[in-house]
Amino acid sequence: MQRKHHALWGYLFITPQLIGLLFFSLLPLLYALSLSFMNWDGFGTPSFAGLSNFAGQLADPHFWKAMVNTVYYMVLVIPVGMLLALLVALALNKTAGKELYRLFFFMPVVTSSVSVGVIWMWILNGEFGILNQLLGYIGITGPQWLTDTRWVIPSIALLSIWWGLGNNMVIFLAGLQGISKSYYEAAQIDGASRLQQFRHITLPLLSPTTFFVTIMSIIGSFQVFDQAFVMTNGGPAKASYTLVYHIYDQAFIDFTMGESAAAAMILFLIILVFTLIQFGMQKRWVHYGD
């Protein structure tokens, strides 16, 4: 009887979250799925279009341009961002006052995307930006970061790495603090070096954390929009035109809601595939039982 009573309280506490998940995630997802099979301009009555919206997206050069830009951005952001976050977490793990440092690193995460974008527009300005001025002090002529098609995605990636560093660092730091010191003490007795301890203890036992950060980084990279919208408006020449920007463009500029929903469903499937792959790899990554 007492277990049922505790279970009832548990269900009661998670009910608001379940209601929010239903009305703000699952129902909009189902609506977008149904809309992807419709022709609709946002007004009037939708008409059934079958798979034509999906075929139209796959034949749309703008969709593939957005895909290439998004993958390029992802390749730049994920490995560099995760590596820097892990290095900072390792540095802070045994540092006195790490709570204060953690606060400083995490502050950009809670700053609004528009504010961050505006600040970095000034930093990356090719004429009077602070980054080019600093490069000039060491004899390097900085590029036009946000108006050069070669540099615009790396510029947005640089912003995103800085912006997300604190979040990934805190997650890695939590993972590091969850590793028992007894493993390192046993390794020291066996004469293992710091590098050997990191390779054979820290990395394997940190694999669940790495798994989580990787999935969240992939999802976040495929959903990049704010930075490109605020800083470059998708330009120059669509060089920073991302998948979510394409979805926005289709819906609120061209008013082709069905094609926008189809593009969103394709993005959903891509993220789902990556997530399933990561879950499959998890069996090889986690070594707590070894």
Side-chain angles (χ1 to χ4, degrees):
M1 185 67 182
Q2 188 175 9
R3 292 183 62 182
K4 291 183 179 179
H5 181 73
H6 289 166
L8 180 63
W9 275 106
Y11 287 125
L12 182 64
F13 278 116
I14 66 173
T15 296
Q17 180 67 23
L18 290 176
I19 293 174
L21 179 66
L22 176 65
F23 284 98
F24 297 106
S25 294
L26 295 181
L27 289 181
L29 178 63
L30 293 175
Y31 179 73
L33 178 61
S34 65
L35 190 60
S36 66
F37 297 101
M38 302 290 178
N39 283 326
W40 190 44
D41 62 357
F43 305 94
T45 304
S47 60
F48 184 70
L51 296 175
S52 62
N53 288 332
F54 291 92
Q57 287 302 301
L58 295 177
D60 187 353
H62 296 309
F63 172 83
W64 290 109
K65 177 68 173 177
M67 176 69 75
V68 170
N69 289 341
T70 303
V71 172
Y72 179 33
Y73 167 87
M74 182 179 71
V75 169
L76 292 177
V77 168
I78 293 178
V80 177
M82 290 182 62
L83 178 60
L84 288 177
L86 177 58
L87 292 176
V88 173
L90 288 169
L92 295 182
N93 189 35
K94 297 182 179 180
T95 301
K98 58 178 173 287
E99 292 80 9
L100 184 61
Y101 287 111
R102 185 168 54 192
L103 174 64
F104 289 149
F105 277 104
F106 198 78
M107 285 176 64
V109 179
V110 297
T111 307
S112 75
S113 57
V114 174
S115 300
V116 170
V118 171
I119 292 171
W120 275 81
M121 284 176 66
W122 172 69
I123 294 174
L124 296 172
N125 187 283
E127 301 300 328
F128 54 81
I130 188 173
L131 180 56
N132 278 0
Q133 290 186 23
L134 293 175
L135 291 175
Y137 293 147
I138 57 176
I140 298 176
T141 302
Q144 298 291 326
W145 296 98
L146 299 177
T147 57
D148 189 329
T149 56
R150 297 170 299 176
W151 287 101
V152 64
I153 287 293
S155 300
I156 295 175
L158 179 64
L159 179 157
S160 299
I161 291 169
W162 170 82
W163 195 18
L165 178 63
N167 185 63
N168 291 339
M169 178 271 297
V170 167
I171 297 172
F172 275 124
L173 191 58
L176 289 170
Q177 293 175 351
I179 300 175
S180 174
K181 294 181 179 179
S182 61
Y183 294 113
Y184 297 102
E185 292 171 354
Q188 289 173 0
I189 293 174
D190 290 337
S193 65
R194 288 288 184 89
L195 182 60
Q196 289 173 327
Q197 292 176 37
F198 175 75
R199 179 182 176 186
H200 297 290
I201 298 176
T202 305
L203 281 182
L205 295 183
L206 203 61
S207 58
T209 306
T210 306
F211 162 71
F212 176 77
V213 173
T214 301
I215 288 181
M216 298 308 295
S217 297
I218 290 174
I219 294 173
S221 295
F222 271 112
Q223 293 178 336
V224 60
F225 170 74
D226 298 11
Q227 301 92 310
F229 183 78
V230 172
M231 297 172 67
T232 64
N233 202 27
K238 292 190 179 294
S240 59
Y241 189 72
T242 63
L243 274 175
V244 176
Y245 204 116
H246 176 72
I247 294 169
Y248 162 82
D249 229 12
Q250 295 276 286
F252 301 109
I253 302 299
D254 298 336
F255 292 99
T256 52
M257 301 295 178
E259 293 196 12
S260 175
M265 288 299 102
I266 294 172
L267 175 60
F268 170 76
L269 291 175
I270 292 172
I271 294 176
L272 179 62
V273 168
F274 271 98
T275 304
L276 292 176
I277 292 173
Q278 293 293 331
F279 271 108
M281 295 177 63
Q282 182 187 19
K283 298 176 182 179
R284 293 185 298 172
W285 284 5
V286 180
H287 301 288
Y288 280 111
D290 292 354

